[in-house]
Amino acid sequence: MNLDDFILPEGCTALQAMEQIDRSGQRTVFLAPGGKLRAVLTDSDIRRHLLRGGSLSVPADEVANHRPKSLPVAQRAQARRFLQQHSIDAVPLLGSEGEIVDIVFANENAALQKKNALQNPVVVMAGGQGTRLYPYTKILPKPLIPVGEVPILELLLERFYGFGCRDFHLIVNYKKNMIKSYFTDVEKDWRLHFEEEEEALGTGGGLCLLKGKLNDTFFFTNCDILIDADYSDILRFHKKRGNTVTLVCAAKQFVLPYGVVQADEKGRFEGLSEKPQMNYLTNTGLYVVEPAVVERMEDGKKQGFPDVIEACRSRGESVGVYPVSEDSWMDMGQLEELEAMRRRLEASQ
C-alpha cells in the first residue's frame, strides 16, 4: 500500500469511498485535493450516513468530517500517543503547506493482529436442501458445493478461523452424513459440533438444538455466503450498541433504467425523475446473536430467523444493523452467483 491508497480522488462518491476503504484494509481515508488535507472519512461515517437513510451516490465530501485531526510531520514521535488520546484510527502527518506526507495508523499490522482476536462460537445453518442450486444439490448438499476446488462451507469456516474462532456448530439435516464424513478428513485445530435436525426447522428453528451449549455472543450465518469484513469490528459494534441481534447488511444501489413519473391523486403530473438511483440495505445472512435468544427458543418449532428477530423487537430488545459494501458480500445461492463467486475468489488469489 502507498499513500495514494488512502487519498480519495476528487469528485468521489460515498459508494466509491466505501469501496476504497474496503480495498485499503484500514478504516480511514482522506480528502486532500492537490495533496492538501481537507477532510477525513471513516467507515463509521459511511455507516451512520446509510443508517440515516442517506444515498451512496452523494459526493463523499458531504459525508466526510471537515474538522480532521492532524500533526506536523516533525511530531511523528507523538503520533501514537495522539491516536490514543483522541481515540482515532489514523492521523495524517502534514508538511509546511498542509500537504499529507505520511499517515500513521493505530493498527499498522491490522491483518496480523486479527489472528486469534476472537474466541466467539460460530453457528452455521447447513441443513437446507439448496433447491436454487439444483441439480448440483441432487448429488451434493449445498455446504459441499465447491467454489473452485474447495467447498463453500470450508471457505466460510476458514474466514472465521482466520479471526481466531475455533468452535463451530453446524446445524445439519439434508445429506448430513456426507457433510460429517467430509470434515472428518479436514485437518484443522478447530472444533466442529454437528447439531442434527430430525426434521427441517427453518432458518431459525434449528437454534433450539443449541440450548445450554452457547455461553457467549455468537456469529450465526448461512452456509452459502462469504463476507469480506472485519469480524472483530462487527462484534465491537454489536456490543457497543447493546444489541440482542445485529444483522450484517450489504448496501446495494440500483439504477432504474426508466424515467419515473410522479402524479397526484387526480392524475396531474408533478415531476419526472430520469433513471433514479435507489439504495437498499439487504440482508446478507450473517448475524451476531446473544445466547439468551437460544435459551428461550421453543423446542421443535419450525420458524425463520426473521421471526426470531421480530420476537426480540417485540420484547423491546435492541436489534441493530451493521452495513458493509455490496462488494464485501459474496452469495452462491443461485447458479449464476456461484460462478461469479468462483471468478472473484480466483482473481483474489
Side-chain angles (χ1 to χ4, degrees):
M1 291 286 180
N2 57 48
L3 197 61
D4 290 340
D5 295 321
F6 305 99
I7 307 296
L8 292 178
E10 191 75 13
C12 183
T13 66
L15 176 61
Q16 291 167 326
M18 193 175 195
E19 293 169 346
Q20 185 159 336
I21 287 172
D22 284 344
R23 289 193 300 270
S24 74
Q26 296 286 0
R27 296 198 288 263
T28 306
V29 289
F30 298 92
L31 282 74
K36 295 185 178 180
L37 176 65
R38 182 168 72 196
V40 60
L41 182 62
T42 68
D43 61 346
S44 295
D45 294 326
I46 297 176
R47 265 202 306 275
R48 285 191 291 269
H49 174 70
L50 287 170
L51 295 176
R52 290 194 299 265
S55 169
L56 286 172
S57 61
V58 302
D61 202 37
E62 294 184 16
V63 185
N65 173 8
H66 285 261
R67 299 177 64 185
K69 292 179 170 58
S70 63
L71 284 174
V73 67
Q75 295 182 22
R76 179 189 296 272
Q78 285 79 48
R80 293 290 173 188
R81 181 178 297 178
F82 186 86
L83 290 167
Q84 293 174 350
Q85 288 173 341
H86 295 279
S87 299
I88 55 178
D89 291 324
V91 57
L93 304 179
L94 307 184
S96 59
E97 298 183 0
E99 74 280 12
I100 300 178
V101 297
D102 201 358
I103 304 169
V104 177
F105 292 96
N107 190 355
E108 295 284 5
N109 299 309
L112 295 176
Q113 294 184 19
K114 286 176 185 176
K115 282 282 188 183
N116 303 317
L118 296 178
Q119 297 180 357
N120 301 72
V122 179
V123 179
V124 184
M125 294 177 282
Q129 294 189 18
T131 53
R132 293 184 300 164
L133 286 173
Y134 186 86
Y136 290 176
T137 48
K138 192 74 174 176
I139 302 167
L140 289 173
K142 181 166 62 173
L144 296 187
I145 297 292
V147 183
E149 297 181 356
V150 183
I152 180 60
L153 179 54
E154 187 174 353
L155 291 173
L156 172 70
L157 299 183
E158 287 280 4
R159 292 283 169 109
F160 284 100
Y161 183 83
F163 280 86
C165 298
R166 295 294 183 269
D167 280 302
F168 297 95
H169 297 263
L170 311 182
I171 301 175
V172 295
N173 185 331
Y174 180 66
K175 296 185 181 292
K176 60 187 177 185
N177 290 331
M178 291 183 69
I179 300 171
K180 293 166 67 175
S181 177
Y182 176 84
F183 282 98
T184 299
D185 295 327
V186 176
E187 296 182 359
K188 282 283 185 181
D189 63 338
W190 54 33
R191 295 172 290 277
L192 299 187
H193 313 276
F194 293 95
E195 317 297 343
E196 300 183 26
E197 292 180 328
E198 294 182 4
E199 58 180 305
L201 295 175
T203 57
L207 283 173
C208 71
L209 302 173
L210 287 107
K211 285 185 178 180
K213 299 178 181 180
L214 299 170
N215 299 313
D216 199 358
T217 304
F218 64 95
F219 292 94
F220 184 43
T221 178
N222 292 347
C223 70
D224 57 359
I225 65 165
L226 296 175
I227 303 292
D228 280 328
D230 186 340
Y231 295 171
S232 299
D233 191 59
I234 296 172
L235 183 66
R236 282 193 295 270
F237 176 90
H238 172 86
K239 292 289 190 181
K240 185 176 181 180
R241 301 301 193 279
N243 294 338
T244 299
V245 178
T246 295
L247 296 80
V248 177
C249 296
K252 278 189 171 282
Q253 186 176 56
F254 297 94
V255 178
L256 195 65
Y258 309 104
V260 175
V261 174
Q262 293 83 44
D264 66 15
E265 69 280 359
K266 294 184 178 180
R268 290 189 293 252
F269 175 81
E270 290 190 330
L272 173 66
S273 300
E274 189 64 32
K275 297 182 179 179
Q277 294 181 338
M278 294 173 288
N279 299 282
Y280 298 95
L281 288 173
T282 57
N283 187 13
T284 64
L286 172 62
Y287 313 89
V288 185
V289 188
E290 289 302 310
V293 172
V294 174
E295 296 307 310
R296 59 184 179 232
M297 297 288 293
E298 183 178 335
D299 290 339
K301 180 180 178 181
K302 183 176 181 178
Q303 58 184 317
F305 196 63
D307 300 321
V308 177
I309 294 172
E310 194 54 44
C312 293
R313 287 189 62 208
S314 68
R315 290 185 178 89
E317 297 171 346
S318 177
V319 176
V321 172
Y322 183 100
V324 298
S325 70
E326 181 177 357
D327 286 343
S328 298
W329 176 32
M330 288 179 279
D331 179 5
M332 58 158 273
Q334 300 187 49
L335 290 176
E336 60 271 22
E337 294 166 337
L338 171 60
E339 178 60 20
M341 181 185 285
R342 183 193 62 77
R343 289 195 301 267
R344 282 189 56 183
L345 291 175
E346 286 182 353
S348 66
Q349 291 175 354

